[in-house]
Amino acid sequence: MSTAANSVGWQWENATAGAVAGLATVTFSHPLDVVRTRFQVNDGRVTNLPTYKNTPHALFTIARTEGFRGLYAGFYPAVVGSTISWGLYFFFYSKAKQRYSRDRKELSPGLHLASAAEAGALVCLCTNPVWLVKTRLQLQTPQLHTRPYSGFHVVVNGWQGFGWAGGGGRGSKQGEEREKAYRNHFLMQVTHGAIQFTAYEELRKVVVGYKSKESELSSSSADDLLNSIDYATLGASSKLAAILLTYPSQVIRSRLQQRPSKDGIPRYMDSWHVLKETARFEGFRGFYKGITANLLKNVPAASITFIVYENVLNMLKLARRKD
């Protein structure tokens, strides 16, 4: 049985389990997220960002020059963003699946895709300002000659100069261009989550079906058949598929969200500008900068997310049944 039917009536348990999973994931993986973000925005032409040879070199350099705080730059907004995002995502996702599962025994891949896209769109609208803060803080290095950001300063500066979507002032040409960029990026972000969760659900069906045939208890539920190793494998596999298919959109996002130059002019005006400049100066490889750090961070992180999520959800369900 798919998680569609299993999650009906458990929306708040899904939200709580998702929030706990998000907190656990970001605590484990944040240093690699810092490295990934710095690789993504370094197009070889930015003078105020250090150049790293590879992921281990980046981790060592940041630790040596910036200390522990450098490895966890932007940690607080990441914790807030990840906890809220996963909590809301699983809540909206379970609500969408509940709606689509009426009069259906099982959801199709298309309906899983629609549920995940709907949840991703709602979460992206709610949390984009938090990710803007996180990215700006992660890109602060000793090489920056301007006054460093605090979290509060990023919020105020982002709102006044870049708007809710990270765009320019309202009504300005820059604002219109960057709001258009945000809309394009919004669609790409929704696509990533939709691919990941659809892959997770469909792979989960396959594993449950296989284990059901092997199990002597034909009436066993998916919760009884699957264990933490299964959740880890499913989470990692679905995340790998989503990353490989959508990674260029993350590079585009990071480059659009980086701090403007000293005169306040954004380095990139919109998604199309990033595509042209990256292709011109860096070629195809430019769109996959930082993917090693991304895979090292997100594949194990996805395993942790779904291990924590599924186990916490099962505990909450058990506690509710006892009550």
Side-chain angles (χ1 to χ4, degrees):
M1 183 180 294
S2 74
T3 36
N6 285 340
S7 64
V8 175
W10 303 98
Q11 284 79 33
W12 289 109
E13 285 81 359
N14 274 280
T16 302
V20 174
L23 176 61
T25 302
V26 74
T27 301
F28 161 78
S29 61
H30 192 76
L32 285 168
D33 190 49
V34 174
V35 172
R36 179 201 64 173
T37 302
R38 293 192 183 183
F39 269 121
Q40 286 176 342
V41 302
N42 196 335
D43 57 9
R45 297 178 291 143
V46 183
T47 58
N48 61 359
L49 287 175
T51 300
Y52 308 116
K53 297 177 182 177
N54 48 46
T55 299
H57 178 249
L59 289 168
F60 175 77
T61 303
I62 294 171
R64 180 171 54 83
T65 59
E66 303 171 49
F68 184 78
R69 293 183 62 180
L71 290 172
Y72 277 85
F75 180 68
Y76 293 122
V79 167
V80 172
S82 185
T83 302
I84 294 175
S85 292
W86 281 113
L88 290 177
Y89 198 104
F90 280 108
F91 177 78
F92 292 137
Y93 185 51
S94 62
K95 290 286 284 185
K97 288 194 296 181
Q98 179 184 14
R99 188 171 63 254
Y100 289 130
S101 64
R102 291 170 186 164
D103 303 322
R104 291 184 178 90
K105 292 182 179 179
E106 191 174 81
L107 291 185
S108 65
L111 290 176
H112 278 139
L113 192 70
S115 299
E118 180 180 320
L122 291 170
V123 170
C124 196
L125 285 171
C126 295
T127 62
N128 187 68
V130 179
W131 300 127
L132 173 64
V133 172
K134 186 205 74 167
T135 299
R136 295 280 177 86
L137 291 176
Q138 286 181 337
L139 294 176
Q140 292 194 127
T141 68
Q143 285 80 6
L144 288 171
H145 299 295
T146 54
R147 183 167 62 91
Y149 277 137
S150 66
F152 176 76
H153 181 224
V154 177
V155 173
V156 173
N157 182 276
W159 177 261
Q160 291 179 343
F162 296 90
W164 180 266
R170 186 177 297 275
S172 68
K173 184 177 180 180
Q174 281 185 13
E176 291 174 359
E177 290 173 338
R178 288 182 67 82
E179 283 175 16
K180 181 180 178 181
Y182 174 74
R183 290 194 296 270
N184 295 336
H185 163 68
F186 175 83
L187 293 175
M188 290 186 286
Q189 285 298 102
V190 170
T191 301
H192 179 93
I195 292 172
Q196 179 184 356
F197 274 76
T198 301
Y200 183 86
E201 296 282 10
E202 295 307 307
L203 289 171
R204 195 176 195 271
K205 286 183 188 177
V206 173
V207 175
V208 169
Y210 175 78
K211 289 203 167 190
S212 296
K213 293 178 181 178
E214 298 292 321
S215 175
E216 296 179 0
L217 301 174
S218 58
S219 61
S220 297
S221 67
D223 295 340
D224 298 324
L225 292 170
L226 300 179
N227 55 41
S228 293
I229 295 176
D230 297 319
Y231 297 139
T233 304
L234 291 169
S237 301
S238 59
K239 190 66 175 181
L240 179 62
I243 288 174
L244 293 177
L245 290 172
T246 66
Y247 188 77
S249 70
Q250 296 184 38
V251 174
I252 292 171
R253 179 191 66 178
S254 293
R255 294 190 176 190
L256 285 174
Q257 288 184 335
Q258 65 182 305
R259 192 174 188 168
S261 59
K262 293 179 182 179
D263 54 8
I265 299 175
R267 184 166 183 78
Y268 298 101
M269 300 308 302
D270 54 33
S271 299
W272 179 240
H273 187 208
V274 178
L275 285 169
K276 290 192 298 182
E277 293 292 291
T278 303
R280 177 185 175 190
F281 290 100
E282 302 165 74
F284 181 77
R285 292 182 63 182
F287 294 104
Y288 282 87
K289 274 195 169 181
I291 193 169
T292 300
N294 189 284
L295 291 172
L296 289 173
K297 168 191 176 285
N298 282 311
V299 173
S303 295
I304 292 172
T305 298
F306 282 97
I307 288 173
V308 175
Y309 166 74
E310 297 279 9
N311 282 290
V312 171
L313 181 60
N314 289 339
M315 287 190 295
L316 291 173
K317 286 181 177 181
L318 182 61
R320 180 169 164 182
R321 289 189 183 109
K322 287 181 178 179
D323 292 339

